[in-house]
Amino acid sequence: MSEKEKIAKQMKEIVEQLVSEPRLKAHMLVAIESHMKESDLLFGRLAYLHYDLFSTQGDHSTYIAAAIELIVLAGDLLDDVVDQDRLKDDAITVHTAIGFLLLGQQVIAHSHIADEKKLKALSYVTSCLLQSVHGQQTDVACDVQTEAEYIKMVEKKSGSLVAMACVIGALLAGKEDIAAIETYARYIGIAAQIDNDLDALYNWDKKADIQAKKKSLPILYMLESKQNNLWKQYFNNDMDYDRMYVQKEKALQQMGQEGAFYYAKVMSQIYKEKALQEIEKLDVDDAYKSVLKTFI
Amino acid sequence: MQQIIRFLVEHPEVIEKLQNGTVSLIGLSELEVKAVIKVFSESTRPLGYWM
């Protein structure tokens, strides 16, 4: 069984054991199954790796990984509610998300690990989730105007979640100095979010980002252009979404011609390089460094 | 960074010189130059998907 399958199995077992309401339980199990098909469970696997990396006793890797993945899945479901991407039944989706969020924290609280480590870990989870909510709200409110503001927003929105996954694994294993881990984790999160936002442009029809007027790096680049372009017209409200949508190929072509995709890819690569530099500084076995680098 | 990318898109001949080390980009760190070279050398077209 692969690491991913082990984590998903553990997530389902946690739901089976701790959720009693039948409809909620069924919905949660379906959500986990669906999440497993769409995701590589990177957050859980990062928590797993970091626990394994610093642990000297006990084997709680899968349990901790499942807890982190449950919390991240809660965030994904809440994103869907906010973006209204695929909603059929608001109430059960919200209850499922809140259930996952609490379940993940309960799993950490009830793990057979020293209380001192668990307290630090749970406090860190709350801190990261709060940062992520701040970043999400800035994103949804379309408050981003510059590259620096975008990076700050994605560091909160996504960097904090990757930091949560890596640092929780380390803290529960007894690692006290988490500064370096936190740094590269945030860089990984920033790079991943830049790539995700690029992906939203490739998958215009599947994502609501453009309709919601979220400003990703390629869009900021087009808005700063000296030439007139469809992005400026749309974001300045000179054109409605329907008119923009029928010209999407032209809009994307303008991005390609001006270098907006190069720009986003370079920015992503910069954060990947920064993460690689930080990982190299870690005082751990080279084999672990190699595994860690596969997440970038 | 936006200005650098616009310059490189308008002057693609500079990318090869950057790779050869015969020119440098003022204001960019070594890490940033490394990222620029990697991205520009990996993509012959920005996005083949719709070009």
Side-chain angles (χ1 to χ4, degrees):
Chain A
M1 193 185 286
S2 71
E3 204 172 273
K4 177 182 163 176
E5 286 166 336
K6 278 197 278 183
I7 297 168
K9 183 170 174 274
Q10 183 72 75
M11 289 166 78
K12 287 179 188 170
E13 282 173 10
I14 290 166
V15 169
E16 290 282 2
Q17 284 167 17
L18 299 176
V19 180
S20 55
E21 205 285 318
R23 195 162 168 247
L24 183 61
K25 182 190 277 189
H27 208 273
M28 284 176 139
L29 292 171
V30 169
I32 292 170
E33 193 59 40
S34 164
H35 182 60
M36 202 196 158
K37 284 178 189 159
E38 292 171 3
S39 160
D40 289 328
L41 311 191
L42 292 174
F43 292 91
R45 285 168 51 215
L46 278 169
Y48 187 106
L49 178 69
H50 282 78
Y51 182 83
D52 207 28
L53 184 54
F54 298 109
S55 172
T56 50
Q57 54 184 353
D59 181 17
H60 307 291
S61 315
T62 311
Y63 204 58
I64 292 161
I68 291 298
E69 203 58 48
L70 287 169
I71 293 170
V72 169
L73 176 53
D76 284 353
L77 292 174
L78 289 171
D79 277 357
D80 287 348
V81 174
V82 172
D83 294 342
Q84 298 180 326
D85 273 351
R86 51 179 174 187
L87 285 184
K88 288 174 191 158
D89 184 346
D90 277 11
I92 192 77
T93 307
V94 170
H95 291 149
T96 301
I98 294 171
F100 281 140
L101 197 59
L102 298 173
L103 213 47
Q105 291 174 78
Q106 195 175 10
V107 166
I108 295 172
H110 289 186
S111 62
H112 298 291
I113 293 173
D115 285 348
E116 192 188 315
K117 294 176 189 171
K118 288 194 290 194
L119 266 177
K120 276 187 192 170
L122 285 167
S123 167
Y124 195 81
V125 167
T126 315
S127 159
C128 289
L129 290 176
L130 267 174
Q131 284 177 52
S132 186
V133 167
H134 278 89
Q136 287 280 11
Q137 181 53 33
T138 307
D139 191 24
V140 168
C142 304
D143 281 346
V144 169
Q145 307 293 342
T146 64
E147 176 186 297
E149 287 174 3
Y150 173 87
I151 297 296
K152 200 173 162 188
M153 181 272 289
V154 296
E155 185 183 352
K156 285 184 182 169
K157 178 181 154 179
S158 309
S160 61
L161 294 181
V162 180
M164 177 179 76
C166 298
V167 170
I168 292 309
L171 282 176
L172 290 172
K175 172 85 174 160
E176 296 202 345
D177 182 7
I178 54 156
I181 300 168
E182 193 172 31
T183 302
Y184 67 68
R186 285 181 184 273
Y187 289 152
I188 292 172
I190 292 170
Q193 189 59 52
I194 294 172
D195 290 347
N196 276 351
D197 286 346
L198 257 174
D199 208 44
L201 289 168
Y202 299 143
N203 295 291
W204 190 320
D205 293 323
K206 293 178 192 164
K207 304 270 185 174
D209 289 21
I210 298 167
Q211 194 165 10
K213 291 197 172 169
K214 288 188 181 178
K215 288 178 190 154
S216 59
L217 285 179
I219 290 169
L220 288 173
Y221 184 92
M222 295 307 282
L223 297 180
E224 285 294 315
S225 171
K226 285 178 184 164
Q227 298 171 40
N228 189 20
N229 60 58
L230 292 169
W231 298 94
K232 280 186 175 179
Q233 291 172 37
Y234 175 57
F235 277 83
N236 290 336
N237 297 318
D238 295 332
M239 183 197 299
D240 64 20
Y241 179 72
D242 291 341
R243 279 187 60 207
M244 180 66 169
Y245 183 76
V246 294
Q247 299 182 83
K248 65 175 182 175
E249 287 201 9
K250 187 179 173 190
L252 293 170
Q253 204 167 24
Q254 287 178 344
M255 274 189 165
Q257 283 163 353
E258 287 210 36
F261 300 119
Y262 276 131
Y263 167 59
K265 285 181 179 180
V266 166
M267 291 299 292
S268 166
Q269 189 59 36
I270 287 171
Y271 284 95
K272 287 173 186 167
E273 296 287 346
K274 285 184 176 186
L276 289 170
Q277 271 190 356
E278 289 298 319
I279 289 169
E280 270 310 316
K281 291 181 197 167
L282 275 185
D283 185 21
V284 296
D285 198 278
D286 281 348
Y288 273 109
K289 287 183 188 175
S290 299
V291 178
L292 196 46
K293 286 176 187 173
T294 63
F295 286 87
I296 297 174
Chain B
M1 183 55 76
Q2 291 191 10
Q3 286 177 332
I4 302 273
I5 303 297
R6 286 185 209 283
F7 174 80
L8 291 173
V9 169
E10 284 168 21
H11 303 89
E13 70 280 2
V14 177
I15 295 156
E16 199 180 327
K17 291 176 184 171
L18 256 183
Q19 288 167 335
N20 299 336
T22 51
V23 294
S24 58
L25 292 171
I26 295 168
L28 293 195
S29 67
E30 196 179 320
L31 182 143
E32 288 169 333
V33 172
K34 190 177 168 188
V36 167
I37 290 172
K38 184 173 171 64
V39 169
F40 275 85
S41 46
E42 278 178 358
S43 321
T44 48
R45 288 187 301 175
L47 277 174
Y49 180 67
W50 51 69
M51 296 296 282

